Amino acid sequence: APVDDVTAVLDREFPARRVAETTPARRGNTKETTLVRFADGGGVVVQFSADTEAFRTELALARAVRERTAVPTPRVLADGSLGGRPYAVVELVDGTDLHERFSRVSSATRRRLSRGFGRSLAALHESFAFEDYGAVRVEDGRTGDGGGEGGEGDEDAGAALRADGTE
């Protein structure tokens, strides 16, 4: 995302915080993603998407997974629109990027990580039941976040999610 857009979102959502560093993320997603570190510590991820429907669904899923499971999921801190483009601000979670490293770690570490992935997948299957298969979409224009920018979440953020029966 252009630096001006990231700055505008940060000014809107965190007017009292000063940015120390921004770093565009170039790997691992189709959104325009910028990692932000604040001068007073901590950070966020600012994301813009060209696909409004898919992005809204992703945010609803993230909120629902965080609400319904113990699967580590960054909290959606704010969302909205800037210049007609949807954006989200989520927690910046420190960790190791496994996009390339997974194949280079020891087989014991790969097994341990894979078991953790399996436990997370099982938790998702236990927490979400759909009447159909296929792409998951947000139903009736709801986002599952209480309706406002920066919403904290409904009692059931996943209630607005439905499988559409297509592949």
Side-chain angles (χ1 to χ4, degrees):
V3 175
D4 289 348
D5 288 350
V6 172
T7 300
V9 167
L10 294 170
D11 287 347
R12 178 187 291 178
E13 303 296 346
F14 305 97
R17 296 190 79 182
R18 190 171 63 79
V19 173
E21 176 183 26
T22 61
T23 307
R26 306 235 185 262
R27 176 179 52 206
N29 68 64
T30 59
K31 297 173 290 297
E32 295 174 35
T33 302
T34 302
L35 311 177
V36 178
R37 297 272 180 192
F38 291 111
D40 60 0
V44 296
V45 177
V46 177
Q47 296 183 312
F48 286 89
S49 178
D51 186 338
T52 301
E53 182 180 346
F55 196 54
R56 287 178 51 236
T57 300
E58 180 180 338
L59 296 177
L61 281 168
R63 287 178 170 115
V65 168
R66 184 172 173 82
E67 174 185 294
R68 294 185 189 187
T69 74
V71 175
T73 307
R75 186 166 52 107
V76 178
L77 302 171
D79 64 277
S81 180
L82 182 71
R85 293 180 1 170
Y87 70 83
V89 182
V90 300
E91 288 179 305
L92 176 61
V93 178
D94 289 322
T96 302
D97 182 350
L98 292 177
H99 278 95
E100 294 175 10
R101 288 198 60 205
F102 186 81
S103 64
R104 296 192 316 252
V105 299
S106 71
S107 59
T109 298
R110 279 195 305 273
R111 281 192 300 276
R112 182 178 55 78
L113 291 169
S114 295
R115 281 192 295 275
F117 296 150
R119 283 190 296 278
S120 293
L121 183 59
L124 293 172
H125 280 278
E126 289 172 6
S127 299
F128 294 90
F130 292 98
E131 296 174 8
D132 213 333
Y133 65 91
V136 175
R137 306 249 186 261
V138 175
E139 184 178 74
D140 297 327
R142 293 174 54 199
T143 62
D145 70 351
E149 290 184 15
E152 278 298 315
D154 288 336
E155 287 181 22
D156 184 4
L161 300 171
R162 298 289 178 258
D164 71 4
T166 63
E167 292 189 40

